[in-house]
Amino acid sequence: MTEPAAHPWPWRTALVCLLVGLVWFGRNLDFNGHVHPDEPNKVRQILSGEYNFHHPLLMLDSVRLLAAATGAHDYDSIMLAGRRSSVLFAALGVALLVLVSGRLYGAVVAAAAGIFLLTGPQLFELAHYFKEDPSLVFGLALSLFAILLYGEKPGPQRAAFLGAAVAVAASAKYAGLMILPFAVYAVLAARRPRDLVFLGAVTTAGFILINLPAVLSAEAWTRSIGYEVDRLSAAGASKPRRVPHDAYVEFYWRTSPPLALLVGLHLYNVCRRRFRLRPVEWTMIILPTAFLAVISSVPNVTQRYFLPAGVILACLSAAGLLVLLSLRHGKILAVLAAAVAVGWQAPKLWIYEQSFARDHQRE
């Protein structure tokens, strides 16, 4: 059963957000006064040509390709290439999420989603580091885009594309595998079980291809997975907490109450629609909830783990503006709500911007 979209693709808005993201996230990348602790290890792996498999290969090999294309060959230039790859992944992720939001809910929501994402302090910060988090945002955004495409016109080709997107998300970070059940659900909802063959085959082949060095070094890869599990467990936690805990919910509410309230308006609208949602809409609601449930069950609290949930919730916040637009003086209310949300995020965003603009080590 196909589900035609009600709104045109917001290609221009997505392109503007992509270009703005590349410039906005890509400023002041040459800092060295507060390097992220993980960055030097990644640079050394690229310089040596050896993997320890503690970090996703999608990110490392993307940087390796970028370094080769730009002639980066020493520590500083590879560090910069790593940060540029994060900028690219973050900007592409924003553009894809804008496309999905606009296709589902219209041009106003597309623009609002772009604004909320580009002014999000956490995405802005992590897009400046040689880290895997922006590539995970890209992988999940690509998967949502693929689920939407498949829902509109199911078929083997789009099922294969969905499988490729899932492989990218899973290769960006193991947490990206959480998108797989939603991809399966999208195929089953379309009543085309045969397409599961294409989804499964391409997901498996894509994951093996991207992670081929790890597959060929299975013993070292297994040790790395064990290391990661131990690091996240109570034994490896620096500040263990009883689980489940509310640290990430508290962080989300503290970061932007206006955006959280807009998510509430979107959920109200979902109830008003009697829960008649497309698979991609269900995914955008349940996936952040599942992420929160999983990371809240890990004793070791790291705020960057919230990023995948945060970017999808920002899109749901933009969709919440539709409720305000339906009211009397709705345009004024929607503009005020969006302005308050951006204004709430602005001070922390400004702190990050100024921090990256100053090279404290040289000072």
Side-chain angles (χ1 to χ4, degrees):
M1 179 180 65
T2 60
E3 299 182 5
H7 302 279
W9 289 103
W11 294 110
R12 291 182 180 177
T13 304
L15 179 59
V16 169
C17 289
L18 172 62
L19 296 176
V20 171
L22 289 173
V23 175
W24 175 231
F25 297 147
R27 298 172 67 246
N28 303 315
L29 295 179
D30 58 347
F31 60 90
N32 58 23
H34 47 112
V35 173
H36 195 281
D38 284 350
E39 289 184 300
N41 183 278
K42 298 185 181 78
V43 174
R44 284 193 292 270
Q45 289 185 69
I46 293 176
L47 284 172
S48 66
E50 298 177 354
Y51 298 101
N52 62 17
F53 304 117
H54 295 338
H55 306 289
L57 295 186
L58 174 69
M59 172 194 61
L60 290 178
D61 285 339
S62 297
V63 176
R64 200 183 296 276
L65 289 174
L66 183 59
T70 58
H73 60 278
D74 58 11
Y75 184 94
D76 289 336
S77 61
I78 290 177
M79 177 82 79
L80 189 58
R83 292 171 180 171
R84 284 174 175 161
S85 75
S86 292
V87 169
L88 181 59
F89 278 130
L92 286 171
V94 169
L96 286 168
L97 289 171
V98 167
L99 281 175
V100 171
S101 299
R103 186 68 161 170
L104 290 173
Y105 304 114
V108 172
V109 173
I115 292 170
F116 293 162
L117 289 166
L118 290 170
T119 59
Q122 193 178 38
L123 180 59
F124 177 81
E125 179 199 10
L126 290 172
H128 279 71
Y129 290 121
F130 184 179
K131 291 288 293 177
E132 64 270 20
D133 304 278
S135 61
L136 177 58
V137 168
F138 168 72
L140 293 177
L142 183 65
S143 298
L144 291 173
F145 178 71
I147 290 172
L148 176 57
L149 281 181
Y150 182 84
E152 290 185 6
K153 189 178 179 181
Q157 294 85 358
R158 295 197 177 192
F161 176 66
L162 178 54
V166 172
V168 169
S171 300
K173 202 171 183 179
Y174 296 137
L177 273 172
M178 291 181 65
I179 196 68
L180 179 58
F182 298 97
V184 172
Y185 165 65
V187 174
L188 294 178
R191 299 178 182 178
R192 294 180 60 96
R194 292 182 180 178
D195 286 350
L196 289 175
V197 175
F198 297 94
L199 171 66
V202 176
T203 298
T204 303
F207 184 81
I208 291 174
L209 182 63
I210 296 172
N211 297 279
L212 188 58
V215 174
L216 296 176
S217 304
E219 185 178 348
W221 191 22
T222 303
R223 285 199 305 269
S224 172
I225 294 174
Y227 165 80
E228 290 296 321
V229 171
D230 179 69
R231 186 175 62 84
L232 294 174
S233 68
S238 56
K239 295 180 180 179
R241 292 173 179 258
R242 288 185 298 178
V243 295
H245 52 71
D246 60 353
Y248 295 101
V249 174
E250 180 185 347
F251 168 71
Y252 176 52
W253 177 254
R254 188 175 67 250
T255 300
S256 187
L259 288 182
L261 292 174
L262 286 173
V263 170
L265 287 181
H266 175 65
L267 295 178
Y268 163 74
N269 205 26
V270 167
C271 295
R272 197 166 61 175
R273 291 170 57 190
R274 298 181 181 180
F275 301 97
R276 294 172 181 170
L277 306 178
R278 304 171 193 180
V280 67
E281 292 180 278
W282 279 120
T283 303
M284 293 177 73
I285 292 173
I286 298 175
L287 183 60
T289 307
F291 261 110
L292 283 172
V294 170
I295 61 179
S296 296
S297 299
V298 174
N300 199 358
V301 176
T302 305
Q303 289 181 351
R304 66 184 177 87
Y305 292 165
F306 178 78
L307 181 65
V311 294
I312 298 174
L313 289 172
C315 297
L316 299 185
S317 297
L321 293 174
L322 292 177
V323 177
L324 297 179
L325 288 171
S326 67
L327 303 175
R328 187 179 180 184
H329 307 301
K331 290 183 179 179
I332 296 175
L333 292 173
V335 169
L336 286 175
V340 169
V342 172
W344 189 281
Q345 297 186 129
K348 191 168 187 179
L349 187 65
W350 176 253
I351 290 173
Y352 283 138
E353 161 65 14
Q354 292 301 298
S355 179
F356 289 125
R358 298 193 185 108
D359 194 331
H360 301 290
Q361 184 166 310
R362 289 177 187 168
E363 291 177 3

